Amino acid sequence: MSMMDKIKSMLKGHESQTEKGIDKTGDMADDKSRGKFKGQVDTGQEKLRDEFGGGPGPDQPPRP
């Protein structure tokens, strides 16, 4: 079992907490860089959501 598989299995069932962590980390990175790398941070957040299943749930609208 790879490290990514282990992480995914630990996060399974905790999608809302994963989403909050991804958002909080991205916001912190934006604050520290004063928005200089906002596009790259947003791209990274989307990739993390795709990888770890922290995407919008059934009651949330899709992201723009």
Short mmCIF file of all heavy atoms in Angstrom, two decimals:
data_model
loop_
_atom_site.label_atom_id
_atom_site.label_comp_id
_atom_site.label_asym_id
_atom_site.label_seq_id
_atom_site.Cartn_x
_atom_site.Cartn_y
_atom_site.Cartn_z
N MET A 1 0.85 -1.17 0.00
CA MET A 1 0.00 0.00 0.00
C MET A 1 0.90 1.24 0.00
O MET A 1 1.79 1.38 0.83
CB MET A 1 -0.90 -0.03 1.24
CG MET A 1 -1.83 1.15 1.33
SD MET A 1 -2.92 1.10 2.76
CE MET A 1 -4.22 0.07 2.16
N SER A 2 0.64 2.13 -0.93
CA SER A 2 1.45 3.35 -1.03
C SER A 2 1.02 4.36 0.04
O SER A 2 -0.03 4.23 0.66
CB SER A 2 1.31 3.97 -2.42
OG SER A 2 0.04 4.55 -2.57
N MET A 3 1.85 5.37 0.20
CA MET A 3 1.55 6.42 1.17
C MET A 3 0.24 7.14 0.82
O MET A 3 -0.56 7.45 1.70
CB MET A 3 2.71 7.41 1.24
CG MET A 3 2.49 8.52 2.24
SD MET A 3 2.31 7.95 3.93
CE MET A 3 4.00 7.74 4.37
N MET A 4 0.02 7.40 -0.47
CA MET A 4 -1.21 8.09 -0.88
C MET A 4 -2.44 7.25 -0.55
O MET A 4 -3.46 7.79 -0.12
CB MET A 4 -1.17 8.41 -2.38
CG MET A 4 -0.16 9.46 -2.75
SD MET A 4 -0.45 11.03 -1.95
CE MET A 4 -1.84 11.59 -2.89
N ASP A 5 -2.34 5.93 -0.73
CA ASP A 5 -3.46 5.06 -0.39
C ASP A 5 -3.76 5.10 1.11
O ASP A 5 -4.92 5.11 1.53
CB ASP A 5 -3.18 3.63 -0.82
CG ASP A 5 -3.17 3.45 -2.33
OD1 ASP A 5 -3.81 4.27 -3.03
OD2 ASP A 5 -2.51 2.51 -2.80
N LYS A 6 -2.71 5.16 1.92
CA LYS A 6 -2.89 5.23 3.37
C LYS A 6 -3.56 6.54 3.76
O LYS A 6 -4.46 6.57 4.60
CB LYS A 6 -1.55 5.10 4.08
CG LYS A 6 -0.97 3.72 4.02
CD LYS A 6 0.35 3.63 4.75
CE LYS A 6 0.95 2.24 4.62
NZ LYS A 6 2.23 2.14 5.33
N ILE A 7 -3.12 7.64 3.15
CA ILE A 7 -3.72 8.94 3.46
C ILE A 7 -5.19 8.96 3.05
O ILE A 7 -6.04 9.42 3.80
CB ILE A 7 -2.93 10.08 2.77
CG1 ILE A 7 -1.54 10.20 3.38
CG2 ILE A 7 -3.68 11.39 2.88
CD1 ILE A 7 -0.61 11.13 2.63
N LYS A 8 -5.47 8.44 1.84
CA LYS A 8 -6.86 8.41 1.37
C LYS A 8 -7.73 7.58 2.30
O LYS A 8 -8.87 7.96 2.59
CB LYS A 8 -6.92 7.84 -0.04
CG LYS A 8 -6.46 8.81 -1.10
CD LYS A 8 -6.55 8.17 -2.46
CE LYS A 8 -6.00 9.06 -3.54
NZ LYS A 8 -6.07 8.43 -4.86
N SER A 9 -7.23 6.45 2.78
CA SER A 9 -8.04 5.61 3.67
C SER A 9 -8.28 6.30 5.01
O SER A 9 -9.35 6.15 5.60
CB SER A 9 -7.38 4.25 3.87
OG SER A 9 -6.19 4.36 4.62
N MET A 10 -7.31 7.08 5.49
CA MET A 10 -7.50 7.81 6.75
C MET A 10 -8.52 8.93 6.60
O MET A 10 -9.27 9.24 7.53
CB MET A 10 -6.17 8.40 7.24
CG MET A 10 -5.22 7.35 7.78
SD MET A 10 -3.78 8.04 8.63
CE MET A 10 -3.02 9.01 7.36
N LEU A 11 -8.55 9.57 5.43
CA LEU A 11 -9.45 10.71 5.22
C LEU A 11 -10.84 10.29 4.78
O LEU A 11 -11.76 11.11 4.80
CB LEU A 11 -8.85 11.65 4.18
CG LEU A 11 -7.54 12.34 4.58
CD1 LEU A 11 -7.00 13.17 3.43
CD2 LEU A 11 -7.72 13.18 5.82
N LYS A 12 -11.01 9.03 4.39
CA LYS A 12 -12.31 8.57 3.92
C LYS A 12 -13.35 8.74 5.03
O LYS A 12 -13.14 8.37 6.18
CB LYS A 12 -12.23 7.10 3.51
CG LYS A 12 -13.48 6.61 2.83
CD LYS A 12 -13.22 5.23 2.24
CE LYS A 12 -14.44 4.72 1.55
NZ LYS A 12 -14.56 5.19 0.19
N GLY A 13 -14.46 9.38 4.67
CA GLY A 13 -15.51 9.63 5.63
C GLY A 13 -15.38 10.97 6.34
O GLY A 13 -16.23 11.33 7.14
N HIS A 14 -14.31 11.68 6.07
CA HIS A 14 -14.07 12.98 6.70
C HIS A 14 -13.89 14.06 5.64
O HIS A 14 -13.05 14.94 5.76
CB HIS A 14 -12.82 12.92 7.58
CG HIS A 14 -12.87 11.88 8.64
ND1 HIS A 14 -13.60 12.04 9.80
CD2 HIS A 14 -12.32 10.64 8.70
CE1 HIS A 14 -13.47 10.95 10.54
NE2 HIS A 14 -12.71 10.08 9.90
N GLU A 15 -14.72 13.99 4.60
CA GLU A 15 -14.57 14.91 3.48
C GLU A 15 -14.75 16.37 3.87
O GLU A 15 -14.05 17.24 3.38
CB GLU A 15 -15.54 14.54 2.34
CG GLU A 15 -15.16 13.28 1.59
CD GLU A 15 -15.59 12.00 2.30
OE1 GLU A 15 -16.36 12.07 3.29
OE2 GLU A 15 -15.15 10.92 1.87
N SER A 16 -15.69 16.65 4.78
CA SER A 16 -15.91 18.04 5.17
C SER A 16 -14.71 18.60 5.92
O SER A 16 -14.33 19.76 5.71
CB SER A 16 -17.18 18.18 6.01
OG SER A 16 -17.04 17.49 7.24
N GLN A 17 -14.09 17.79 6.77
CA GLN A 17 -12.90 18.24 7.48
C GLN A 17 -11.73 18.41 6.52
O GLN A 17 -10.93 19.33 6.67
CB GLN A 17 -12.54 17.26 8.59
CG GLN A 17 -13.55 17.27 9.71
CD GLN A 17 -13.29 16.19 10.73
OE1 GLN A 17 -12.81 15.11 10.39
NE2 GLN A 17 -13.60 16.49 11.99
N THR A 18 -11.63 17.51 5.54
CA THR A 18 -10.58 17.62 4.53
C THR A 18 -10.74 18.91 3.75
O THR A 18 -9.76 19.64 3.52
CB THR A 18 -10.63 16.41 3.58
OG1 THR A 18 -10.50 15.20 4.32
CG2 THR A 18 -9.55 16.48 2.53
N GLU A 19 -11.97 19.22 3.38
CA GLU A 19 -12.26 20.44 2.63
C GLU A 19 -11.86 21.68 3.44
O GLU A 19 -11.24 22.60 2.92
CB GLU A 19 -13.74 20.50 2.28
CG GLU A 19 -14.18 21.74 1.56
CD GLU A 19 -13.71 21.80 0.12
OE1 GLU A 19 -13.33 20.76 -0.42
OE2 GLU A 19 -13.70 22.89 -0.45
N LYS A 20 -12.21 21.69 4.72
CA LYS A 20 -11.86 22.82 5.59
C LYS A 20 -10.34 22.98 5.68
O LYS A 20 -9.82 24.10 5.67
CB LYS A 20 -12.44 22.63 6.98
CG LYS A 20 -13.94 22.82 7.05
CD LYS A 20 -14.45 22.56 8.45
CE LYS A 20 -15.95 22.55 8.49
NZ LYS A 20 -16.46 22.19 9.82
N GLY A 21 -9.63 21.87 5.81
CA GLY A 21 -8.17 21.92 5.90
C GLY A 21 -7.53 22.44 4.62
O GLY A 21 -6.58 23.23 4.68
N ILE A 22 -8.05 22.02 3.48
CA ILE A 22 -7.52 22.50 2.20
C ILE A 22 -7.77 23.99 2.06
O ILE A 22 -6.87 24.74 1.65
CB ILE A 22 -8.16 21.71 1.03
CG1 ILE A 22 -7.67 20.26 1.04
CG2 ILE A 22 -7.84 22.37 -0.31
CD1 ILE A 22 -8.42 19.33 0.10
N ASP A 23 -8.97 24.43 2.41
CA ASP A 23 -9.29 25.86 2.32
C ASP A 23 -8.42 26.69 3.27
O ASP A 23 -7.89 27.73 2.89
CB ASP A 23 -10.76 26.11 2.64
CG ASP A 23 -11.69 25.66 1.53
OD1 ASP A 23 -11.21 25.53 0.38
OD2 ASP A 23 -12.88 25.43 1.80
N LYS A 24 -8.29 26.23 4.50
CA LYS A 24 -7.52 26.97 5.50
C LYS A 24 -6.04 27.07 5.10
O LYS A 24 -5.42 28.13 5.23
CB LYS A 24 -7.66 26.29 6.85
CG LYS A 24 -7.14 27.10 8.01
CD LYS A 24 -7.51 26.46 9.32
CE LYS A 24 -7.08 27.33 10.48
NZ LYS A 24 -7.47 26.75 11.76
N THR A 25 -5.50 25.98 4.59
CA THR A 25 -4.10 25.98 4.17
C THR A 25 -3.89 26.91 2.98
O THR A 25 -2.91 27.65 2.92
CB THR A 25 -3.65 24.55 3.81
OG1 THR A 25 -3.87 23.70 4.94
CG2 THR A 25 -2.19 24.51 3.43
N GLY A 26 -4.81 26.88 2.02
CA GLY A 26 -4.70 27.76 0.86
C GLY A 26 -4.81 29.22 1.25
O GLY A 26 -4.07 30.07 0.74
N ASP A 27 -5.72 29.52 2.18
CA ASP A 27 -5.87 30.90 2.65
C ASP A 27 -4.60 31.37 3.35
O ASP A 27 -4.16 32.52 3.17
CB ASP A 27 -7.06 31.03 3.60
CG ASP A 27 -8.40 30.83 2.90
OD1 ASP A 27 -8.43 30.92 1.65
OD2 ASP A 27 -9.40 30.60 3.60
N MET A 28 -4.00 30.49 4.15
CA MET A 28 -2.76 30.85 4.84
C MET A 28 -1.64 31.12 3.84
O MET A 28 -0.89 32.09 3.98
CB MET A 28 -2.34 29.75 5.80
CG MET A 28 -1.12 30.12 6.63
SD MET A 28 -0.55 28.79 7.69
CE MET A 28 0.11 27.67 6.48
N ALA A 29 -1.55 30.28 2.82
CA ALA A 29 -0.51 30.48 1.80
C ALA A 29 -0.73 31.80 1.05
O ALA A 29 0.24 32.52 0.77
CB ALA A 29 -0.51 29.31 0.82
N ASP A 30 -1.98 32.13 0.76
CA ASP A 30 -2.29 33.41 0.11
C ASP A 30 -1.91 34.58 1.01
O ASP A 30 -1.36 35.58 0.54
CB ASP A 30 -3.77 33.50 -0.25
CG ASP A 30 -4.13 32.72 -1.51
OD1 ASP A 30 -3.22 32.49 -2.34
OD2 ASP A 30 -5.30 32.36 -1.66
N ASP A 31 -2.21 34.47 2.30
CA ASP A 31 -1.87 35.54 3.23
C ASP A 31 -0.36 35.74 3.34
O ASP A 31 0.13 36.87 3.32
CB ASP A 31 -2.44 35.26 4.62
CG ASP A 31 -3.95 35.39 4.69
OD1 ASP A 31 -4.53 36.01 3.77
OD2 ASP A 31 -4.54 34.86 5.65
N LYS A 32 0.37 34.64 3.47
CA LYS A 32 1.82 34.72 3.62
C LYS A 32 2.49 35.29 2.38
O LYS A 32 3.48 36.00 2.47
CB LYS A 32 2.42 33.34 3.94
CG LYS A 32 2.02 32.80 5.28
CD LYS A 32 2.71 33.53 6.39
CE LYS A 32 2.34 32.93 7.73
NZ LYS A 32 2.96 33.63 8.84
N SER A 33 1.95 34.96 1.21
CA SER A 33 2.55 35.46 -0.04
C SER A 33 1.90 36.76 -0.51
O SER A 33 2.22 37.25 -1.59
CB SER A 33 2.45 34.40 -1.14
OG SER A 33 1.10 34.18 -1.49
N ARG A 34 0.96 37.27 0.30
CA ARG A 34 0.22 38.50 -0.03
C ARG A 34 -0.46 38.41 -1.39
O ARG A 34 -0.51 39.37 -2.15
CB ARG A 34 1.14 39.71 0.04
CG ARG A 34 1.69 39.95 1.41
CD ARG A 34 2.49 41.22 1.48
NE ARG A 34 3.02 41.35 2.83
CZ ARG A 34 4.28 41.62 3.09
NH1 ARG A 34 5.14 41.81 2.12
NH2 ARG A 34 4.69 41.71 4.33
N GLY A 35 -0.95 37.20 -1.71
CA GLY A 35 -1.70 36.99 -2.95
C GLY A 35 -0.85 36.87 -4.20
O GLY A 35 -1.40 36.73 -5.30
N LYS A 36 0.46 36.89 -4.06
CA LYS A 36 1.35 36.85 -5.23
C LYS A 36 1.18 35.56 -6.04
O LYS A 36 1.32 35.56 -7.25
CB LYS A 36 2.79 37.00 -4.77
CG LYS A 36 3.79 37.11 -5.88
CD LYS A 36 5.19 37.36 -5.35
CE LYS A 36 6.18 37.48 -6.48
NZ LYS A 36 7.54 37.70 -5.97
N PHE A 37 0.89 34.47 -5.35
CA PHE A 37 0.79 33.16 -6.01
C PHE A 37 -0.63 32.61 -5.94
O PHE A 37 -0.83 31.40 -5.89
CB PHE A 37 1.78 32.17 -5.38
CG PHE A 37 3.20 32.66 -5.41
CD1 PHE A 37 3.82 33.12 -4.26
CD2 PHE A 37 3.90 32.68 -6.59
CE1 PHE A 37 5.11 33.58 -4.28
CE2 PHE A 37 5.20 33.14 -6.64
CZ PHE A 37 5.81 33.59 -5.48
N LYS A 38 -1.61 33.48 -5.95
CA LYS A 38 -3.00 33.07 -5.78
C LYS A 38 -3.44 32.04 -6.82
O LYS A 38 -4.08 31.05 -6.47
CB LYS A 38 -3.93 34.28 -5.85
CG LYS A 38 -5.38 33.92 -5.60
CD LYS A 38 -6.20 35.14 -5.29
CE LYS A 38 -7.65 34.84 -5.09
NZ LYS A 38 -7.97 33.73 -4.25
N GLY A 39 -3.06 32.23 -8.06
CA GLY A 39 -3.44 31.27 -9.11
C GLY A 39 -2.86 29.89 -8.86
O GLY A 39 -3.54 28.87 -9.01
N GLN A 40 -1.59 29.85 -8.47
CA GLN A 40 -0.95 28.57 -8.20
C GLN A 40 -1.54 27.90 -6.96
O GLN A 40 -1.72 26.68 -6.94
CB GLN A 40 0.57 28.75 -8.01
CG GLN A 40 1.30 29.10 -9.28
CD GLN A 40 1.36 30.60 -9.54
OE1 GLN A 40 0.60 31.38 -8.99
NE2 GLN A 40 2.26 31.01 -10.41
N VAL A 41 -1.85 28.69 -5.94
CA VAL A 41 -2.45 28.14 -4.73
C VAL A 41 -3.84 27.57 -5.04
O VAL A 41 -4.17 26.47 -4.60
CB VAL A 41 -2.54 29.22 -3.62
CG1 VAL A 41 -3.37 28.74 -2.44
CG2 VAL A 41 -1.14 29.62 -3.15
N ASP A 42 -4.62 28.30 -5.82
CA ASP A 42 -5.96 27.81 -6.20
C ASP A 42 -5.88 26.52 -6.99
O ASP A 42 -6.66 25.59 -6.77
CB ASP A 42 -6.71 28.87 -7.00
CG ASP A 42 -7.11 30.07 -6.16
OD1 ASP A 42 -7.09 29.96 -4.91
OD2 ASP A 42 -7.44 31.12 -6.75
N THR A 43 -4.91 26.44 -7.90
CA THR A 43 -4.72 25.21 -8.68
C THR A 43 -4.34 24.05 -7.76
O THR A 43 -4.87 22.94 -7.90
CB THR A 43 -3.62 25.41 -9.74
OG1 THR A 43 -4.01 26.48 -10.62
CG2 THR A 43 -3.39 24.14 -10.55
N GLY A 44 -3.47 24.31 -6.82
CA GLY A 44 -3.08 23.27 -5.86
C GLY A 44 -4.25 22.81 -5.01
O GLY A 44 -4.40 21.61 -4.76
N GLN A 45 -5.09 23.74 -4.60
CA GLN A 45 -6.26 23.37 -3.81
C GLN A 45 -7.20 22.48 -4.62
O GLN A 45 -7.73 21.50 -4.10
CB GLN A 45 -7.02 24.63 -3.35
CG GLN A 45 -6.33 25.38 -2.23
CD GLN A 45 -7.08 26.64 -1.88
OE1 GLN A 45 -7.30 27.51 -2.72
NE2 GLN A 45 -7.47 26.75 -0.63
N GLU A 46 -7.42 22.82 -5.86
CA GLU A 46 -8.31 22.01 -6.70
C GLU A 46 -7.75 20.60 -6.89
O GLU A 46 -8.49 19.62 -6.86
CB GLU A 46 -8.54 22.69 -8.05
CG GLU A 46 -9.40 23.93 -7.97
CD GLU A 46 -10.77 23.67 -7.38
OE1 GLU A 46 -11.39 22.64 -7.70
OE2 GLU A 46 -11.21 24.50 -6.57
N LYS A 47 -6.44 20.50 -7.09
CA LYS A 47 -5.83 19.17 -7.26
C LYS A 47 -5.95 18.34 -5.98
O LYS A 47 -6.19 17.14 -6.04
CB LYS A 47 -4.38 19.32 -7.68
CG LYS A 47 -4.25 19.81 -9.11
CD LYS A 47 -2.81 19.86 -9.57
CE LYS A 47 -2.76 20.49 -10.93
NZ LYS A 47 -2.32 19.58 -11.94
N LEU A 48 -5.79 18.99 -4.83
CA LEU A 48 -5.96 18.27 -3.57
C LEU A 48 -7.40 17.81 -3.39
O LEU A 48 -7.64 16.69 -2.94
CB LEU A 48 -5.55 19.16 -2.39
CG LEU A 48 -4.05 19.36 -2.20
CD1 LEU A 48 -3.79 20.45 -1.17
CD2 LEU A 48 -3.40 18.06 -1.76
N ARG A 49 -8.35 18.65 -3.76
CA ARG A 49 -9.76 18.25 -3.66
C ARG A 49 -10.05 17.06 -4.57
O ARG A 49 -10.76 16.13 -4.18
CB ARG A 49 -10.68 19.42 -4.03
CG ARG A 49 -10.76 20.47 -2.98
CD ARG A 49 -11.76 21.56 -3.34
NE ARG A 49 -11.67 22.65 -2.41
CZ ARG A 49 -11.01 23.78 -2.64
NH1 ARG A 49 -10.41 23.99 -3.79
NH2 ARG A 49 -10.95 24.72 -1.72
N ASP A 50 -9.50 17.09 -5.77
CA ASP A 50 -9.70 15.97 -6.69
C ASP A 50 -9.07 14.70 -6.14
O ASP A 50 -9.65 13.61 -6.25
CB ASP A 50 -9.09 16.29 -8.06
CG ASP A 50 -9.82 17.37 -8.81
OD1 ASP A 50 -10.98 17.68 -8.45
OD2 ASP A 50 -9.23 17.92 -9.76
N GLU A 51 -7.90 14.80 -5.56
CA GLU A 51 -7.16 13.64 -5.07
C GLU A 51 -7.79 13.04 -3.82
O GLU A 51 -7.88 11.82 -3.69
CB GLU A 51 -5.71 14.03 -4.78
CG GLU A 51 -4.81 12.88 -4.43
CD GLU A 51 -4.54 11.95 -5.58
OE1 GLU A 51 -4.50 12.39 -6.73
OE2 GLU A 51 -4.35 10.74 -5.31
N PHE A 52 -8.21 13.89 -2.89
CA PHE A 52 -8.66 13.41 -1.59
C PHE A 52 -10.16 13.47 -1.39
O PHE A 52 -10.65 13.26 -0.29
CB PHE A 52 -7.95 14.17 -0.47
CG PHE A 52 -6.47 13.91 -0.46
CD1 PHE A 52 -5.59 14.92 -0.75
CD2 PHE A 52 -5.97 12.65 -0.21
CE1 PHE A 52 -4.22 14.69 -0.77
CE2 PHE A 52 -4.61 12.40 -0.22
CZ PHE A 52 -3.74 13.43 -0.50
N GLY A 53 -10.91 13.82 -2.42
CA GLY A 53 -12.35 13.76 -2.33
C GLY A 53 -12.98 14.84 -1.48
O GLY A 53 -14.04 14.64 -0.92
N GLY A 54 -12.34 15.97 -1.37
CA GLY A 54 -12.90 17.06 -0.58
C GLY A 54 -13.75 17.98 -1.41
O GLY A 54 -13.93 19.13 -1.05
N GLY A 55 -14.23 17.51 -2.53
CA GLY A 55 -15.00 18.33 -3.44
C GLY A 55 -16.37 18.66 -2.91
O GLY A 55 -16.74 18.27 -1.80
N PRO A 56 -17.18 19.36 -3.68
CA PRO A 56 -18.50 19.74 -3.23
C PRO A 56 -19.38 18.50 -2.99
O PRO A 56 -19.34 17.55 -3.74
CB PRO A 56 -19.05 20.61 -4.35
CG PRO A 56 -18.20 20.37 -5.51
CD PRO A 56 -16.89 19.84 -5.02
N GLY A 57 -20.14 18.56 -1.92
CA GLY A 57 -21.03 17.46 -1.60
C GLY A 57 -22.34 17.59 -2.35
O GLY A 57 -22.53 18.51 -3.13
N PRO A 58 -23.28 16.71 -2.09
CA PRO A 58 -24.56 16.74 -2.82
C PRO A 58 -25.39 17.99 -2.54
O PRO A 58 -26.19 18.39 -3.35
CB PRO A 58 -25.28 15.48 -2.33
CG PRO A 58 -24.61 15.09 -1.09
CD PRO A 58 -23.20 15.62 -1.16
N ASP A 59 -25.17 18.62 -1.36
CA ASP A 59 -25.96 19.80 -1.02
C ASP A 59 -25.21 21.10 -1.27
O ASP A 59 -25.70 22.17 -0.96
CB ASP A 59 -26.39 19.74 0.44
CG ASP A 59 -25.22 19.64 1.40
OD1 ASP A 59 -24.12 19.26 0.95
OD2 ASP A 59 -25.40 19.94 2.59
N GLN A 60 -24.02 21.03 -1.87
CA GLN A 60 -23.23 22.22 -2.16
C GLN A 60 -23.21 22.47 -3.67
O GLN A 60 -23.12 21.52 -4.45
CB GLN A 60 -21.80 22.04 -1.66
CG GLN A 60 -21.71 21.89 -0.15
CD GLN A 60 -20.30 21.61 0.29
OE1 GLN A 60 -19.44 21.27 -0.52
NE2 GLN A 60 -20.04 21.76 1.58
N PRO A 61 -23.26 23.73 -4.07
CA PRO A 61 -23.19 24.02 -5.51
C PRO A 61 -21.80 23.76 -6.04
O PRO A 61 -20.81 23.81 -5.30
CB PRO A 61 -23.53 25.52 -5.58
CG PRO A 61 -23.16 26.05 -4.23
CD PRO A 61 -23.40 24.92 -3.27
N PRO A 62 -21.67 23.44 -7.33
CA PRO A 62 -20.35 23.21 -7.90
C PRO A 62 -19.53 24.50 -7.88
O PRO A 62 -20.07 25.60 -7.90
CB PRO A 62 -20.63 22.77 -9.35
CG PRO A 62 -22.04 23.15 -9.60
CD PRO A 62 -22.73 23.28 -8.28
N ARG A 63 -18.22 24.35 -7.86
CA ARG A 63 -17.32 25.50 -7.83
C ARG A 63 -17.23 26.12 -9.22
O ARG A 63 -17.28 25.42 -10.19
CB ARG A 63 -15.94 25.06 -7.38
CG ARG A 63 -15.97 24.53 -5.98
CD ARG A 63 -14.58 24.08 -5.58
NE ARG A 63 -14.65 23.38 -4.34
CZ ARG A 63 -14.69 23.97 -3.16
NH1 ARG A 63 -14.65 25.26 -3.07
NH2 ARG A 63 -14.77 23.28 -2.06
N PRO A 64 -17.04 27.44 -9.25
CA PRO A 64 -16.90 28.11 -10.55
C PRO A 64 -15.60 27.77 -11.23
O PRO A 64 -14.66 27.36 -10.69
CB PRO A 64 -16.96 29.59 -10.22
CG PRO A 64 -16.80 29.71 -8.74
CD PRO A 64 -17.05 28.37 -8.15
#
